[in-house]
Amino acid sequence: MSTPDPNRVLIFDTTLRDGEQSPGCSMTQPEKLRVARALAELGVDVIEAGFPAASRGDWEAVREIAREVRGPIIAGLARCNREDIDKAWTAVREAARPRLHVFLATSAIHREHKLNMAKEQIIHTAVEGVKYARNLCADVEFSPEDASRTELEFLREVVEAVIEAGATTINVPDTVGYTVPEEFFEVFDYLKKNVRGADRVVFSVHCHDDLGMAVANSMAAVRGGARQIECTINGIGERAGNCSLEEVVMAMRTREALYGLRTGIDTKRLFPTSRLLSSITGMPIPRNKAVVGENAFAHESGIHQHGMLKHHSTYEIMRPEDVGLSRSHLVLGKHSGRAALRDRIKELGFEISDAELGRVFEEFKALADKKKELFDGDIEALVLRSEAGATGPWHLESLHASSDTAGTANARVGLRHADGRLLSQEATGDGPVDAAFKAIEVATGLVVTLRKFEVRSVTMGEDAQGEAVVTVEHDGRTYRASSVTTDIVESGVRAFLETVNQVEQGRALPGRAERRTSEAAVTASTI
Ligand code: KIV
Ligand code: ZN
């Protein structure tokens, strides 16, 4: 894809591929589709929807996104062999604008220790892979993996050869987060000036954050001529993560006078998209995270507050509303009507249908009865919960839990099954949450292993809502669910019951072991 406007930088989002493959970030197929839709609304140019050869589940998720999501280009990743490329192509071919993203490592370290291939073999395999992909798809991206540790002259040779073979985008990855801005600028500047055919392709950058420089390195690359940035929401990704989409986009926008570059991102959707991903993966956003962290626009010191009261520009380089973070914290109460709620939801950056609004309004009224004041975080939690859809077959009808300092804890849960059964079960445990989880296991007859139980407050104050994220294992598969209520025991119990529902419905997270076996089964040199 070419960029007719030389100052337009394409945003290639790889949250669903590089982000999703990192520990703690796995998503189910419906969750991936929700994220893909949010990315399309955010205005990304390319969604890398997954790595279809990694597992059957990955292939299906990419195919569904290619079928359902319109707007951005939908890319599928493939190693440089026919099996991978065929799998990626069958997954993306139904997209309105499909892309094949083919990669092969080029650095001496990878050539010797991983691939056991000489330089000539690397060039041959890369060229054959790109030609094969180009026969299937007009839009082919090539990535020389570990490019930042590849001999510059050899990198130029590889890039020239794949352009000749038909690649339309050349992505230069800093796979291990090793480079620094000055050096990476030189790499792009050199390739742009010395590669034959450089003017026929878009140069792209893909940075990891091992030394905390992924955003800075990406900015150096665009200064050197890159016009596509590969990044993820909240910077999730392998090890320390990838370049954070919200940070790199706001860096270009805030320093537009210096860089003269633009993206197609609707920045007001940054905050809601970031919250959506965090609520789906259960991966918290650090309070001090740039652009989307809770403290990113909070001013605590007296001198700063004084300055802010005089003029916001004294201590603020971006406006919170520009990233979709509304200033007002105290919002609605129990006398607020449906129209006020709809306006607030819109201001927070969410679009919901009338039917969804009806559901959210019911829950809003119930919550307003329990809480004096409703904050933006409360409204967000209601919307995100409603978007997640109804669950089942088990529903929580009642919960009584008690504990004392002597260490005794009891819980009684009342459950209703979709088939009409009503069950009540009591259990004792190591704290009320443990007791309630045990009661659910006995009542449903399903025993799971609790792997993680995390609780955080979504707003402030004594009556703040608590979000619980529960991760369990059953039969070697992992299940994760979250719930938000004003009572953290109830949140935990609802999230736990949801994981039991997922087990019953076979809605496990994609398994890492399954992916690794499938990845290892295909060698890199079969083309
Ligand atoms: O980091 C990396 O090198 C990658 C490639 C597959 C683009 O993720
Ligand atoms: Zn990567």
Side-chain angles (χ1 to χ4, degrees):
M1 180 180 171
S2 63
T3 46
D5 173 355
N7 298 326
R8 169 79 155 77
V9 175
L10 302 170
I11 296 298
F12 176 116
D13 181 278
T14 183
T15 304
L16 294 171
R17 200 277 297 168
D18 223 348
E20 202 263 348
Q21 75 192 33
S22 63
C25 294
S26 297
M27 289 173 243
T28 61
Q29 208 166 306
E31 289 171 342
K32 288 182 188 173
L33 188 59
R34 262 179 96 196
V35 171
R37 290 205 162 107
L39 291 171
E41 277 185 41
L42 179 64
V44 306
D45 300 282
V46 186
I47 295 176
E48 185 162 55
F51 184 5
S55 74
R56 178 83 198 165
D58 282 45
W59 181 86
E60 281 170 3
V62 176
R63 191 186 51 164
E64 196 183 6
I65 290 167
R67 283 180 172 169
E68 300 286 329
V69 179
R70 288 293 172 258
I73 291 171
I74 308 295
L77 184 70
R79 279 161 302 181
C80 229
N81 63 65
R82 290 183 184 203
E83 291 92 325
D84 264 35
I85 296 170
D86 284 338
K87 281 199 180 121
W89 177 237
T90 52
V92 298
R93 68 190 302 170
E94 288 177 53
R97 295 194 295 155
R99 173 178 294 185
L100 288 173
H101 178 189
V102 181
F103 75 100
L104 180 66
T106 49
S107 66
I109 297 173
H110 281 238
R111 292 194 311 263
E112 279 161 33
H113 300 297
K114 187 176 89 175
L115 300 172
N116 197 17
M117 285 164 89
K119 282 182 174 173
E120 305 70 48
Q121 281 174 290
I122 295 284
I123 296 192
H124 176 76
T125 308
V127 165
E128 291 303 306
V130 168
K131 277 189 185 158
Y132 188 73
R134 256 318 283 268
N135 276 332
L136 301 169
C137 182
D139 186 347
V140 173
E141 171 168 331
F142 178 79
S143 291
E145 190 191 7
D146 205 17
S148 56
R149 292 192 298 170
T150 301
E151 307 89 320
L152 198 51
E153 194 45 35
F154 180 55
L155 185 61
R156 184 194 59 74
E157 271 180 58
V158 175
V159 169
E160 243 169 39
V162 294
I163 293 176
E164 185 64 30
T168 46
T169 298
I170 299 296
N171 180 43
V172 181
D174 181 27
T175 304
V176 289
Y178 177 73
T179 198
V180 294
E182 296 77 9
E183 178 183 69
F184 221 27
F185 166 81
E186 297 291 343
V187 170
F188 278 85
D189 193 49
Y190 175 81
L191 293 176
K192 283 284 287 179
K193 287 179 179 151
N194 294 287
V195 161
R196 208 177 334 111
D199 52 338
R200 298 205 302 270
V201 295
V202 172
F203 275 85
S204 166
V205 58
H206 176 114
C207 292
H208 282 265
D209 209 27
D210 299 67
L211 292 174
M213 283 189 274
V215 173
N217 288 333
S218 303
M219 294 302 293
V222 288
R223 227 165 43 78
R227 284 297 174 268
Q228 173 177 285
I229 299 179
E230 304 201 353
C231 45
T232 60
I233 299 294
N234 298 338
I236 65 166
E238 285 284 0
R239 306 178 310 277
N242 286 56
C243 170
S244 145
L245 182 148
E246 50 284 346
E247 292 178 22
V248 86
V249 164
M250 287 314 288
M252 272 183 278
R253 181 174 157 154
T254 307
R255 303 306 309 274
E256 199 182 341
L258 179 70
Y259 288 98
L261 299 170
R262 295 180 310 100
T263 71
I265 296 294
D266 175 0
T267 61
K268 287 194 163 51
R269 302 208 59 81
L270 287 173
F271 189 73
T273 313
S274 155
R275 286 287 298 122
L276 171 73
L277 185 76
S278 167
S279 107
I280 284 179
T281 57
M283 186 89 144
I285 305 164
R287 276 186 88 99
N288 63 339
K289 165 99 169 63
V291 181
V292 289
E294 228 176 290
N295 285 2
F297 294 94
H299 303 273
E300 188 74 26
S301 98
I303 295 175
H304 288 206
Q305 287 180 350
H306 178 74
M308 283 294 290
L309 290 172
K310 299 267 181 208
H311 200 276
H312 64 83
S313 64
T314 51
Y315 286 102
E316 229 169 47
I317 57 165
M318 299 169 264
R319 307 293 343 250
E321 49 273 31
D322 290 345
V323 301
L325 183 64
S326 155
R327 261 240 187 271
S328 93
H329 282 305
L330 183 59
V331 275
L332 307 168
K334 66 177 174 188
H335 301 297
S336 310
R338 189 185 286 254
L341 179 65
R342 183 204 298 274
D343 286 353
R344 196 81 206 103
I345 290 173
K346 236 181 142 178
E347 276 167 33
L348 289 170
F350 297 100
E351 293 291 340
I352 62 172
S353 66
D354 284 348
E356 277 168 329
L357 178 67
R359 258 202 314 276
V360 174
F361 189 60
E362 290 303 310
E363 293 186 18
F364 165 78
K365 284 287 174 192
L367 183 60
D369 274 339
K370 291 192 203 158
K371 280 188 92 209
K372 287 193 292 287
E373 300 159 330
L374 270 80
F375 297 91
D376 288 348
D378 293 313
I379 311 287
E380 244 171 54
L382 290 176
V383 175
L384 292 171
R385 184 160 69 211
S386 145
E387 281 185 344
T391 58
W394 292 103
H395 293 273
L396 185 70
E397 288 287 298
S398 60
L399 168 69
H400 292 277
S402 62
S403 62
D404 59 39
T405 48
T408 5
N410 289 292
R412 193 171 67 246
V413 294
L415 300 181
R416 182 169 45 82
H417 194 273
D419 63 12
R421 271 179 294 157
L422 275 173
L423 302 177
S424 177
Q425 184 65 50
E426 262 191 74
T428 55
D430 185 10
V433 172
D434 183 47
F437 287 6
K438 284 193 174 126
I440 290 176
E441 285 185 310
V442 177
T444 60
L446 226 150
V447 179
V448 297
T449 310
L450 184 65
R451 285 285 172 231
K452 231 200 247 172
F453 176 49
E454 293 160 308
V455 181
R456 71 169 191 106
S457 151
V458 297
T459 50
M460 47 201 155
E462 284 167 12
D463 55 1
Q465 293 201 92
E467 177 176 41
V469 184
V470 171
T471 310
V472 303
E473 249 176 55
H474 180 76
D475 259 354
R477 313 220 58 180
T478 306
Y479 301 81
R480 184 191 55 231
S482 62
S483 174
V484 185
T485 71
T486 49
D487 174 339
I488 53 167
V489 178
E490 186 188 334
S491 298
V493 169
R494 286 189 185 279
F496 185 77
L497 188 62
E498 177 55 15
T499 61
V500 169
N501 283 328
Q502 291 174 352
V503 174
E504 288 221 356
Q505 295 172 353
R507 289 191 280 127
L509 291 169
R512 309 233 80 79
E514 176 199 334
R515 280 184 182 172
R516 287 207 185 100
T517 320
S518 151
E519 280 178 36
V522 188
T523 63
S525 54
T526 48
I527 200 137

